């Protein structure tokens, strides 16, 4: 219980420093509490915060964590989501989550990173739109299929890797597992098998 209270206090301290539009940056000085990075997104520097909010709610049962996540998700959708309103219908660009400025939401980079592949699974665990999770997951799997592994960063405008290495990150695998558990769609078994075969082919050492 003592740990839970300290952990919640730390989380609320970061949460309390969100911008006026409700977004967080991606790096903070733990001593001065000043933001060192003002890029807001669902990938590197941010993904674990949202993941821990949802998983802490599941583990501890404290609705404060879920409420923080739900408020964050509303602002992320409002300021960082790009593309058409509906994932699987309508016209316009395929939707994705951009890296934006925490103060006004303007796009800061044209790339997404492999850590943001955790986002579909986070949406599943949080009980958010399953269609949104399915849609977001497909972006990362399409990139995986194109290159055989998931680049650390991928430029969505130029359609090429920015950083080409793959350090065995588990985020896409976890999202795939959670989507299979939520849907029982055998497509996700195919995704998992494809990933495992690629990892054995390209990264396994003898």
């Amino acid at each position: 219980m003592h740990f839970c209270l300290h952990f919640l206090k730390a989380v609320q301290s970061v949460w309390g420093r969100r911008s006026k539009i409700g977004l967080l940056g991606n790096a903070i000085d733990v001593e001065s509490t000043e933001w060192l990075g003002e890029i807001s997104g669902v990938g590197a520097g941010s993904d674990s915060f949202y993941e821990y909010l949802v998983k802490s709610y599941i583990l501890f049962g404290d609705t404060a964590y879920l409420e923080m996540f739900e408020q964050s998700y509303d602002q992320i959708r409002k300021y960082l989501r790009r593309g058409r309103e509906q994932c699987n219908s309508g016209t316009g660009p395929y939707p994705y989550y951009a890296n934006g400025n925490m103060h006004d939401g303007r796009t800061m980079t044209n790339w997404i990173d492999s850590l943001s592949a955790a986002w579909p699974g986070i949406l599943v665990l949080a009980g958010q739109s399953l269609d949104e999770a399915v849609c977001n997951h497909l972006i990362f799997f399409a990139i995986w299929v194109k290159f055989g592994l998931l680049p650390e960063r991928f430029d969505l405008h130029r359609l090429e890797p920015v950083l080409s290495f793959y350090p065995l990150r588990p985020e896409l695998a976890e999202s795939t597992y959670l989507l299979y558990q939520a849907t029982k769609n055998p497509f996700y078994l195919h995704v998992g098998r494809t990933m495992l075969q690629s990892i054995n082919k390209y990264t396994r050492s003898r």
Side-chain angles (χ1 to χ4, degrees):
M1 182 63 69
H2 193 61
F3 165 79
C4 295
L5 292 175
H6 279 289
F7 181 70
L8 178 58
K9 185 177 179 180
V11 169
Q12 289 174 328
S13 180
V14 175
W15 169 251
R17 288 167 173 78
R18 64 196 185 281
S19 71
K20 291 181 179 179
I21 62 171
L23 297 178
L24 298 168
N26 63 339
I28 193 169
D29 188 309
V30 296
E31 294 184 351
S32 70
T33 70
E34 296 294 322
W35 288 105
L36 301 176
E38 296 187 343
I39 293 179
S40 186
V42 297
S46 303
D47 60 306
S48 293
F49 183 80
Y50 302 120
E51 178 185 2
Y52 294 166
L53 286 181
V54 175
K55 291 182 177 179
S56 294
Y57 166 65
I58 294 170
L59 180 62
F60 304 129
D62 189 333
T63 57
Y65 294 108
L66 184 61
E67 290 167 2
M68 283 186 277
F69 177 80
E70 290 176 340
Q71 290 182 48
S72 294
Y73 182 46
D74 287 343
Q75 301 311 103
I76 288 169
R77 277 188 61 85
K78 181 177 181 179
Y79 291 103
L80 302 180
R81 191 181 184 277
R82 306 287 187 263
R84 61 178 181 258
E85 181 63 27
Q86 299 298 321
C87 277
N88 301 306
S89 63
T91 59
Y94 197 79
Y96 71 97
Y97 292 86
N99 293 312
N101 184 279
M102 66 182 289
H103 299 294
D104 56 23
R106 72 181 186 280
T107 300
M108 299 286 284
T109 77
N110 292 324
W111 46 259
I112 57 174
D113 59 60
S114 61
L115 287 167
S116 57
W119 189 245
I122 292 171
L123 295 181
V124 171
L125 288 176
Q128 298 295 332
S129 169
L130 195 56
D131 283 346
E132 187 78 6
V134 168
C135 185
N136 191 232
H137 176 273
L138 282 174
I139 293 176
F140 296 100
F141 184 54
I143 297 170
W144 184 291
V145 170
K146 181 176 178 63
F147 296 104
L149 294 169
L150 188 63
E152 183 72 350
R153 289 181 183 174
F154 182 77
D155 190 309
L156 289 170
H157 287 197
R158 300 175 65 181
L159 300 180
E160 61 184 28
V162 178
L163 296 175
S164 299
F165 59 87
Y166 171 66
L168 293 174
R169 294 202 184 278
E171 283 75 13
L172 183 58
E174 182 178 7
S175 286
T176 301
Y177 169 77
L178 291 170
L179 277 164
Y180 176 69
Q181 290 297 316
T183 66
K184 299 304 180 184
N185 189 328
F187 168 72
Y188 295 106
L189 296 179
H190 163 72
V191 174
R193 184 181 303 110
T194 299
M195 292 177 65
L196 182 60
Q197 289 172 344
S198 295
I199 289 169
N200 280 332
K201 180 178 180 180
Y202 295 115
T203 72
R204 187 173 182 177
S205 60
R206 297 184 183 276

